[in-house]
Amino acid sequence: MRLDQFPPEVQSSVIPEAGGQYLYRCLGCASLFGIEELLYTCPKCGSVLLIEDLAWDRLKEISGPKWRKIFDYRKMSNLAALSGIYRFHELIGSIIPLEDIVYLGEGHTPVIAANAVMKEWAGIDFWYKNDGQNPSASFKDRGMASAFSYLNFLINKRGVRDVLAICASTGDTSAAAALYASYLCGNVKSAVLLPAGKVTAQQLGQPLGSGARVIEIPGVFDDCMKVVEYLSENFSVALMNSKNAWRILGQESYSYEIAQAFDYEVGGLVVVAPIGNAGNITAIMAGFLKMHDLGIIDSLPSVIGVQSEHANPVYLYYLEPEKARRQFRPVTVRPSVAQAAMIGNPVSMPRVIKLVEQYREMAGEESVRIVEVSEQEIMDSMLVANRNGHIACTQGGESLAGIRKAAAENKVDRNRTAILDATAHALKFAGFQDKYFRDGFEPEFEVAPKKEMQNAPCALSYPDSVSSPAGANLGPEEFREFVEYSAAAIADILELKPLKGKL
Ligand SMILES: *Cc1c(COP(=O)(O)O)cnc(C)c1O
Ligand SMILES: [Zn+2]
């Protein structure tokens, strides 16, 4: 829609203006730092940072209902800069002018209702929000759109040059970082550090295809993270891991979109996400809190974070009910089908602790829960979901396994509606499906395939008397014989009934 066609009361707000007063806030010592330079940790105490808009309260001059109207009308604008996560510009990076925003099609992923079979199976009504339908096929694109838009702003307006964007990754961060870097290729080069053999073939192919330098490191993600942190402390690089607080801002868009998709009535929802490095769950909570603060939503949804038994440090931390006695201990991870969340020492743990506290203060002790599931439950859940119309990856399976367990153990009100994060596209993790279908899991995974859940292609074989077109040019008669023989064999396999009067 053209700007002059918007109703007069929102016309002046549809196209946002750059504004706000953004600073890094340290979660350890509360110090504030300017954002002109990219910071990843506090120069004073070493703790992680979040980005804060000191001029936030100016946004309260607009009422909650008016904000809703603005966001809803923005949906109709065809401006590229407002077509992705920056529909919510004022909430996630309003200092970035629209012309610097990098938009590659991220955000506004669909929410897909569970069918009757799935509702029954999960024990609760739910929707999947398919973040696998982002450009690099995972939710990481939300945070990268934000981090790279800010980088683009620094390049265009502050004279920053020759940026090397670098990250460690369990697979999807590097795919997203390499994609966004390739778009800015004149000014940005990218390099990614991957744990050798611990990302899927598809996830390895993505940064290679985008032209990034791909460096494989013997070890797991946590080891790659230590190396990349050392690099960012000692060399001139732009760190694109979720330690980079701009990533968190962009990922808040996930919550804003849920609110918008449910007409801003989110009090009855339970939002479920897998936890790895814990950036996503941090952003989800931060997003809902911000909307609530501006009166855009009037109650907060519950939040459930899910971890595998094989990578469960956040779950273990919250097992202790007494806040003062909780102690964070990193864990050594074991092989997990939820490989993108296979992290024993989450970088965003201090952010989680802070936001869980804030969230529980606003919405009650029960409003945030961490659930633990087995590898078997993750794998089975993904396969059941995919057999019922979804494109969930293994981590999306983890979300489903988590809500199913919470429902079975009465840890969630079954009258609520759950929104499950399908964090990546199933195709990225096809290798795990393949292991399940071929009975190929190494024992460490602790996944035993169920016969009725397996599937395999069925190759037709032919007697010597029937020639096939593989390798030979068949004459018309031979070809007819081939078609008839094949059709009869398929009819037999599928138990097809002949049309009356035929055959
Ligand atoms: C990164 C990732 C996760 C984990 O998210 P965190 O923000 O690290 O907790 C889960 N699923 C997929 C598909 C991912 O790529
Ligand atoms: Zn500090």
Side-chain angles (χ1 to χ4, degrees):
M1 192 189 269
R2 277 193 351 233
L3 186 60
D4 57 15
Q5 289 170 333
F6 282 92
E9 73 270 22
V10 294
Q11 231 176 62
S12 63
S13 315
V14 169
I15 299 180
E17 276 179 28
Q21 198 187 341
Y22 280 55
L23 289 165
Y24 292 111
R25 161 92 64 190
C26 170
L27 291 189
C29 68
S31 299
L32 289 167
F33 303 95
I35 54 167
E36 303 73 38
E37 250 185 278
L38 288 171
L39 284 184
Y40 313 110
T41 49
C42 173
K44 284 193 192 152
C45 79
S47 188
V48 284
L49 310 165
L50 278 175
I51 291 169
E52 204 172 292
D53 182 355
L54 288 192
W56 174 257
D57 282 345
R58 81 192 183 285
L59 302 177
K60 293 180 180 166
E61 285 162 19
I62 293 179
S63 72
K66 174 100 189 267
W67 276 121
R68 295 180 209 164
K69 221 173 192 177
I70 294 169
F71 296 142
D72 289 349
Y73 273 107
R74 268 187 202 160
K75 250 176 139 164
M76 288 190 232
S77 157
N78 289 318
L79 269 183
L82 297 181
S83 299
I85 61 170
Y86 287 98
R87 178 183 296 168
F88 308 100
H89 187 255
E90 291 85 351
L91 311 191
I92 61 173
S94 59
I95 49 147
I96 306 175
L98 294 198
E99 69 267 20
D100 296 320
I101 284 171
V102 180
Y103 170 65
L104 298 186
E106 63 286 338
H108 308 299
T109 53
V111 283
I112 310 298
N115 63 14
V117 177
M118 288 305 298
K119 276 188 214 175
E120 172 82 26
W121 194 79
I124 189 167
D125 184 14
F126 74 87
W127 303 65
Y128 259 121
K129 183 162 170 65
N130 282 345
D131 259 23
Q133 286 174 247
N134 275 300
S136 80
S138 86
F139 78 84
K140 298 296 198 304
D141 294 326
R142 296 176 181 279
M144 289 305 168
S146 164
F148 278 91
S149 291
Y150 184 62
L151 201 54
N152 197 34
F153 166 67
L154 292 180
I155 290 166
N156 294 340
K157 307 282 159 63
R158 301 280 155 85
V160 169
R161 287 289 171 270
D162 298 328
V163 180
L164 180 73
I166 194 165
C167 67
S169 177
T170 54
D172 294 328
T173 299
S174 54
L179 177 68
Y180 283 80
S182 72
Y183 192 73
L184 300 180
C185 56
N187 293 301
V188 180
K189 289 194 171 62
S190 80
V192 305
L193 275 57
L194 298 172
K198 298 210 167 49
V199 305
T200 70
Q202 295 77 8
Q203 290 169 321
L204 177 60
Q206 287 185 291
L208 288 173
S210 296
R213 285 307 291 268
V214 176
I215 296 159
E216 293 186 310
I217 289 187
V220 295
F221 169 81
D222 294 297
D223 306 313
C224 296
M225 193 64 216
K226 286 280 175 271
V227 175
V228 89
E229 279 173 351
Y230 188 90
L231 283 170
S232 72
E233 282 156 19
N234 293 283
F235 296 90
S236 166
V237 294
L239 181 67
M240 288 298 157
N241 280 96
S242 52
K243 216 167 193 184
N244 180 334
W246 289 96
R247 288 262 318 273
I248 305 293
L249 273 188
Q251 288 173 202
E252 288 171 7
S253 60
Y254 183 80
S255 296
Y256 306 149
E257 290 174 19
I258 289 176
Q260 190 168 41
F262 289 86
D263 294 325
Y264 305 96
E265 285 165 19
V266 294
L269 300 182
V270 190
V271 177
V272 186
I275 302 182
N277 226 359
N280 199 24
I281 199 87
T282 299
I284 289 171
M285 290 186 286
F288 284 119
L289 284 170
K290 279 189 182 176
M291 277 204 152
H292 188 254
D293 191 46
L294 294 180
I296 299 168
I297 53 175
D298 39 52
S299 46
L300 291 165
S302 300
V303 174
I304 294 182
V306 190
Q307 292 214 291
S308 158
E309 289 170 357
H310 287 192
N312 58 357
V314 184
Y315 171 75
L316 293 177
Y317 177 84
Y318 284 104
L319 266 189
E320 168 59 59
E322 200 70 47
K323 196 160 90 182
R325 287 175 50 186
R326 284 183 199 136
Q327 259 196 343
F328 180 73
R329 287 187 198 86
V331 303
T332 304
V333 293
R334 288 180 282 155
S336 172
V337 296
Q339 195 167 264
M342 204 178 103
I343 295 174
N345 191 10
V347 158
S348 285
M349 195 61 206
R351 293 171 176 155
V352 172
I353 293 170
K354 165 130 184 173
L355 277 147
V356 166
E357 207 174 305
Q358 280 181 8
Y359 211 91
R360 285 179 168 169
E361 245 165 54
M362 292 299 302
E365 261 321 278
E366 313 280 88
S367 64
V368 186
R369 281 183 188 278
I370 314 294
V371 175
E372 181 188 59
V373 294
S374 70
E375 290 292 313
Q376 182 77 46
E377 289 166 325
I378 296 173
M379 225 24 236
D380 290 343
S381 298
M382 175 187 87
L383 295 171
V384 171
N386 295 352
R387 284 184 167 212
N388 284 275
H390 301 284
I391 54 149
C393 62
T394 42
Q395 294 70 218
E398 190 173 9
S399 297
L400 176 55
I403 193 69
R404 188 169 185 246
K405 176 159 275 182
E409 293 175 353
N410 286 318
K411 287 188 176 139
V412 62
D413 173 0
R414 286 158 176 257
N415 294 317
R416 287 181 170 242
T417 299
I419 313 298
L420 313 186
D421 198 341
T423 45
H425 199 290
L427 287 176
K428 285 203 188 207
F429 296 87
F432 289 115
Q433 173 183 293
D434 195 55
K435 278 185 199 275
Y436 193 102
F437 288 174
R438 291 168 185 257
D439 220 338
F441 273 112
E442 293 81 358
E444 315 78 275
F445 279 97
E446 301 182 295
V447 176
K450 297 189 169 80
K451 270 272 163 308
E452 71 277 15
M453 299 285 294
Q454 288 176 320
N455 204 357
C458 171
L460 292 186
S461 60
Y462 295 82
D464 290 344
S465 57
V466 178
S467 311
S468 79
N473 268 334
L474 304 186
E477 185 58 22
E478 281 175 316
F479 195 76
R480 197 179 55 79
E481 265 175 38
F482 162 76
V483 170
E484 279 177 9
Y485 183 88
S486 303
I490 293 167
D492 202 39
I493 294 167
L494 301 179
E495 298 175 28
L496 304 181
K497 293 190 183 64
L499 290 175
K500 286 209 173 59
K502 292 270 180 75
L503 290 182

